């Protein structure tokens, strides 16, 4: 418990956590189950190229999500690249800048031009009316992001894309196990792309998948995922090695067994943050619930009131990091501010600009307990109460 500002680790005090707490989910399977699965892989001596575990994972995910096709791939970035190729996109794609760079970089790898669209201040999601204002004769698709597991206007965007004869794809890296209208994400647009990175709620170490209810799109996805002719008997101008390994599939299958339990753990932590954060000065917690529906609570997201607070978001993150609370600035800077996009475009994105300087995430996932949330909350509350003094001390030490 900090009694004075001098007790903060950044000013020479003892850090709150010796072993840092981080944002990543890092849910692990039982060691014995992991060993069993890997012994079986060694016995089969079959490590990749659409092995039995990948087939099992695709079938189990399809059943869980209620979607016709699941195509497992190497990671969530390759997944987006294969997805864009499968939809045979060419021209401009409307996409938020307030996202992880991979969303946009995948488009660039496919020779597509990202057109950045601003997001809603409260939900951080694309707004269909802002999207529509950017559609022109060069637009071939909208790439929506179900950020923080919240549904990005699937019905409205679908109608809009249909009206303009363009494709709709989703980056659903945050949205495994999230639903809207009783339907799991994975069933919207022409296709959706997921990530099974270690920091995600389903941990394949790396990995991802694309989901679709369209047979033709599924066939093209399977063709592009593999570099030479295979059972899809289809030709494609672009192909790549995007295959998931048996090791990744083994991890993800074990994770899938515990998915509901891990999500329940996240939800408990999210609720604890919700209770405690209401007492902090000048910080609000972003509501990432899909009310009446499911969320995976993969991220706990906060926004600092930059006008009222005497400490900046960046200083808050620096002070927390020194305490071993590895808060993150997802997403900073906005993708439109990084190369190569910064050089080629200067879109008007006032909400994105603001969010990039005010939003931060606090630790959640396997390594965090509810009493950690209490400790982190006491710390954030303390820092916000003494923001003025801390800021002055930080400035004089720079
Ligand atoms: N679309 C969206 C919307 C995304 O958020 C992402 C990825 C993608 C697409 C692309 O999907 P992938 O190609 O990655 O499958 C992390 C993750 O690496 C990335 O997957 C994720 N989004 C992004 C939001 O976060 P970094 O560069 O911030 O990761 P890093 O290494 O700083 O890790 C975050 C924290 O987790 C650290 O404090 C350390 C901890 N950690 C990390 C790893 C990898 C661990 O404790 N153990 C680990 O194994 O991107």
């Amino acid at each position: 418990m900090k009694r004075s500002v001098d007790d903060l680790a950044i000013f020479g005090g003892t850090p709150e956590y010796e072993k840092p707490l981080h944002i990543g989910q890092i849910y692990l399977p039982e060691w014995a189950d992991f060993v069993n699965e890997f012994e079986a892989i060694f016995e089969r001596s079959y490590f990749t190229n659409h092995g039995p575990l990948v087939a099992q994972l695709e079938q189990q995910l399809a059943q869980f999500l209620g979607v016709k096709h699941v195509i497992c791939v190497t990671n969530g970035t390759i997944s987006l690249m294969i997805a864009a190729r499968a939809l045979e996109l060419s021209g401009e794609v409307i996409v938020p800048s307030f996202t992880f760079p991979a969303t946009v970089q995948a488009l660039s790898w496919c020779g597509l031009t990202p057109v950045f669209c601003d997001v809603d201040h409260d939900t951080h999601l694309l707004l269909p009316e802002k999207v529509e204002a950017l559609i022109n004769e060069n637009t071939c698709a909208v790439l929506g992001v179900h950020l923080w597991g919240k549904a990005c206007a699937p019905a409205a965007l679908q109608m809009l894309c249909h009206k303009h004869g363009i494709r709709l794809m989703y980056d659903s890296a945050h949205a495994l196990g999230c639903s809207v209208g009783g339907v799991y994400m994975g069933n919207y647009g022409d296709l959706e792309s997921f990530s099974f990175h270690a920091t995600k709620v389903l941990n394949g170490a790396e990995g991802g998948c694309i989901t679709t209810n369209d047979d033709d799109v599924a066939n093209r996805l399977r063709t592009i995922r593999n570099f030479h002719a295979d059972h899809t008997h289809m030709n494609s101008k672009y192909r790549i090695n995007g295959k998931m390994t048996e090791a990744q599939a083994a991890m993800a299958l074990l994770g899938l067994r515990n998915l509901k339990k891990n999500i329940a753990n996240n939800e408990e932590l999210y609720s604890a943050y919700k209770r405690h954060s209401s007492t902090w000065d000048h910080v609000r917690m972003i509501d990432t619930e899909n009310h009446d529906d499911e969320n995976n609570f993969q991220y706990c997201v906060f926004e600092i009131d930059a006008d009222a607070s005497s400490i900046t978001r960046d200083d808050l993150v620096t002070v927390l990091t020194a305490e071993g609370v590895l808060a993150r600035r997802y997403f900073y800077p906005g993708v439109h501010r990084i190369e190569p996009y910064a050089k080629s475009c200067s879109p008007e994105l006032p909400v994105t600009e603001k969010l990039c300087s005010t939003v931060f995430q606090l630790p959640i996932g396997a390594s965090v307990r509810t009493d950690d949330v209490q400790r982190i909350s006491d710390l954030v509350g303390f820092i916000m109460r003494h923001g003025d003094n801390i800021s002055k001390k930080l400035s004089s030490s720079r």
Side-chain angles (χ1 to χ4, degrees):
M1 183 72 186
K2 310 287 173 187
R3 293 189 199 289
S4 87
V5 163
D6 292 327
D7 290 342
L8 289 168
I10 193 100
F11 302 126
T14 310
E16 184 73 27
Y17 286 95
E18 206 175 308
K19 185 172 176 241
L21 288 181
H22 46 72
I23 302 297
Q25 295 274 284
I26 323 291
Y27 281 110
L28 300 178
E30 290 298 323
W31 180 248
D33 294 340
F34 177 82
V35 170
N36 273 346
E37 289 300 330
F38 274 70
E39 275 175 359
I41 294 175
F42 275 44
E43 266 163 39
R44 282 193 295 275
S45 210
Y46 197 85
F47 294 95
T48 185
N49 291 8
H50 322 300
L53 295 182
V54 171
Q56 234 182 81
L57 179 62
E58 291 185 342
Q59 187 261 324
Q60 287 188 21
L61 281 169
Q63 195 175 2
F64 169 60
L65 298 173
V67 70
K68 202 163 172 194
H69 302 281
V70 173
I71 292 94
C72 282
V73 291
T74 319
N75 60 51
T77 308
I78 297 271
S79 173
L80 287 163
M81 288 161 58
I82 293 175
R85 286 294 185 206
L87 295 181
E88 298 181 319
L89 303 182
S90 144
E92 296 180 359
V93 178
I94 299 171
V95 65
S97 168
F98 194 61
T99 182
F100 196 61
T103 312
V104 185
Q105 285 160 347
L107 297 175
S108 300
W109 272 99
C110 296
L112 295 159
T113 307
V115 172
F116 294 110
C117 185
D118 214 356
V119 291
D120 178 63
H121 179 263
D122 292 330
T123 64
H124 302 177
L125 302 171
L126 284 182
L127 284 168
E129 58 272 26
K130 288 192 181 176
V131 171
E132 186 156 33
L134 294 171
I135 295 177
N136 64 42
E137 67 280 7
N138 298 320
T139 311
C140 61
V142 175
L143 170 47
V145 181
H146 295 311
L147 207 65
W148 321 133
K150 274 186 88 79
C152 178
L157 282 182
Q158 187 62 73
M159 251 165 53
L160 189 67
C161 290
H162 184 71
K163 180 173 139 195
H164 291 275
I166 58 176
R167 295 289 207 167
L168 174 60
M169 59 188 276
Y170 277 110
D171 180 342
S172 310
H174 296 186
L176 189 82
C178 303
S179 66
V180 59
V183 176
Y184 277 117
M185 317 281 185
N187 286 278
Y188 293 104
D190 291 294
L191 52 78
E192 298 197 39
S193 162
F194 292 85
S195 164
F196 306 150
H197 187 264
T199 54
K200 299 289 188 277
V201 72
L202 183 63
N203 177 3
E206 288 270 2
C209 76
I210 309 161
T211 59
T212 182
N213 283 307
D214 182 319
D215 295 344
D216 184 49
V217 169
N219 218 14
R220 270 183 280 146
L221 288 165
R222 291 195 177 100
T223 305
I224 296 168
R225 171 178 62 173
N226 195 19
F227 33 46
H228 60 71
D230 60 5
H231 55 281
T232 61
H233 303 300
M234 233 183 152
N235 282 321
S236 174
K237 198 166 153 197
Y238 299 99
R239 303 184 71 148
I240 195 168
N241 180 358
K243 292 166 287 154
M244 176 181 270
T245 67
E246 288 290 277
Q248 290 176 300
M251 276 289 283
L253 276 165
L254 292 171
L256 199 53
R257 265 192 224 166
N258 293 328
L259 186 68
K260 290 279 180 190
K261 190 177 88 190
N262 297 341
I263 288 177
N265 183 56
N266 280 350
E267 185 167 8
E268 202 181 315
L269 298 169
Y270 173 92
S271 304
Y273 273 119
K274 196 169 155 180
R275 277 196 308 279
H276 294 298
S277 62
S278 60
T279 63
W280 303 343
D281 296 340
H282 315 308
V283 173
R284 83 180 170 106
M285 185 168 172
I286 305 298
D287 175 0
T288 55
E289 292 166 53
N290 286 314
H291 298 279
D292 298 328
D293 270 293
E294 294 176 55
N295 197 305
N296 57 25
F297 303 97
Q298 197 167 258
Y299 296 96
C300 269
V301 189
F302 301 85
E303 186 182 0
I304 200 163
D305 180 345
D307 296 330
S309 167
S310 44
I311 184 165
T312 62
R313 184 273 316 263
D314 289 359
D315 281 350
L316 172 63
V317 168
T318 304
V319 174
L320 285 170
T321 303
E323 296 293 341
V325 176
L326 304 188
R328 292 302 286 254
R329 302 179 298 175
Y330 291 132
F331 300 99
Y332 172 83
V335 185
H336 67 289
R337 294 241 173 231
I338 61 173
E339 293 308 335
Y341 314 108
K343 254 196 209 106
S344 59
C345 65
S346 50
E348 289 279 300
L349 303 172
V351 178
T352 300
E353 297 287 8
K354 179 163 184 262
L355 296 178
C356 290
S357 65
T358 55
V359 168
F360 63 98
Q361 288 70 27
L362 290 174
I364 186 165
S367 63
V368 184
R369 305 273 166 273
T370 37
D371 57 323
D372 292 318
V373 177
Q374 171 82 63
R375 279 170 78 182
I376 295 169
S377 296
D378 289 347
L379 198 53
V380 176
F382 178 87
I383 297 166
M384 294 312 295
R385 277 198 307 282
H386 298 87
D388 193 26
N389 194 357
I390 295 169
S391 294
K392 280 185 190 138
K393 271 178 87 79
L394 283 173
S395 326
S396 64
S397 66
R398 279 185 184 124

